[in-house]
Amino acid sequence: MARLPYLEADQVAPEYRDMLKRNTNLHKLLVNSPEMARAFNGIGGYIRFKSKLNPRLRELAILQVGWMEKSEYEFTHHVKIGKEFGVTDEDIAGLMAETEGKPSKLEPLAKAILKGAREMVRELAMSDATFAEIKQHLSDEHTVDLVLTIAFYCGVVRVLATMKIDNEPYYKEVLQQYPIPGVN
């Protein structure tokens, strides 16, 4: 159960109701601080709609963070979002295999990005070797976007966990297909 209330549009000043268009528990809780919610939505919106980073690779990085942090909410929401941007079931199976140190059919850049995301979750930063490998394929702009995306979602999973934000029922179905070890 969430630690703060989920607000509905009629409980929010009219100038902040646009932030509830996505109608998720995350947005309903964050709007308890409407200006902070607007800032949060600005970064998230840039990552999703304006970044020039390949959206499939972006979503794989986000999924890796959610998977590593055992964030049911983050992982399940981005399975759905990722599929809208070209992530396949084979990609997700590859992510799971790579996380366990097993081989996958993912292309080298996707493998390197997943490794970089795992390193940022576990070690705070990407190793020099992983960063160099990614940098062989991405421009400086894409590299910055990737690192900030991973960092942002490392923060998002901490917000979700600290605020105990409940996952919406629809997304729980995703766990049947992709059960996260250690998550009920």
Side-chain angles (χ1 to χ4, degrees), residues 28-49:
K28 289 178 179 182
L29 185 134
L30 292 180
V31 83
N32 279 283
S33 176
E35 288 300 323
M36 182 62 88
R38 190 167 305 285
F40 175 92
N41 286 344
I43 295 170
Y46 179 85
I47 289 170
R48 190 166 176 186
F49 300 110

Side-chain angles (χ1 to χ4, degrees), residues 17-100:
R17 290 182 183 159
D18 62 305
M19 290 185 292
L20 295 174
K21 286 180 186 173
R22 288 202 42 217
N23 197 31
T24 66
N25 287 342
L26 173 61
H27 290 89
K28 289 178 179 182
L29 185 134
L30 292 180
V31 83
N32 279 283
S33 176
E35 288 300 323
M36 182 62 88
R38 190 167 305 285
F40 175 92
N41 286 344
I43 295 170
Y46 179 85
I47 289 170
R48 190 166 176 186
F49 300 110
K50 294 182 181 176
S51 172
K52 295 175 188 158
L53 182 63
N54 176 294
R56 175 181 158 269
L57 296 174
R58 174 197 71 220
E59 290 301 321
L60 284 173
I62 295 167
L63 284 167
Q64 184 69 83
V65 171
W67 184 260
M68 292 291 298
E69 296 290 12
K70 299 183 184 317
S71 177
E72 173 189 330
Y73 192 102
E74 192 63 42
F75 184 78
T76 59
H77 279 246
H78 280 273
V79 165
K80 180 181 182 296
I81 293 167
K83 288 187 175 190
E84 294 169 8
F85 288 103
V87 173
T88 65
D89 290 335
E90 189 173 86
D91 289 337
I92 296 169
L95 176 149
M96 293 175 185
E98 293 288 327
T99 302
E100 294 176 8

Side-chain angles (χ1 to χ4, degrees), residues 43 45-55 57-59 61-62 113 120 126 131 134-135 138-153:
I43 295 170
Y46 179 85
I47 289 170
R48 190 166 176 186
F49 300 110
K50 294 182 181 176
S51 172
K52 295 175 188 158
L53 182 63
N54 176 294
L57 296 174
R58 174 197 71 220
E59 290 301 321
I62 295 167
I113 286 172
M120 286 180 70
M126 283 185 205
F131 188 87
I134 290 169
K135 198 54 198 96
L138 298 182
S139 70
D140 291 351
E141 178 180 7
H142 293 141
T143 302
V144 168
D145 284 8
L146 174 66
V147 170
L148 288 176
T149 296
I150 295 167
F152 178 75
Y153 281 93

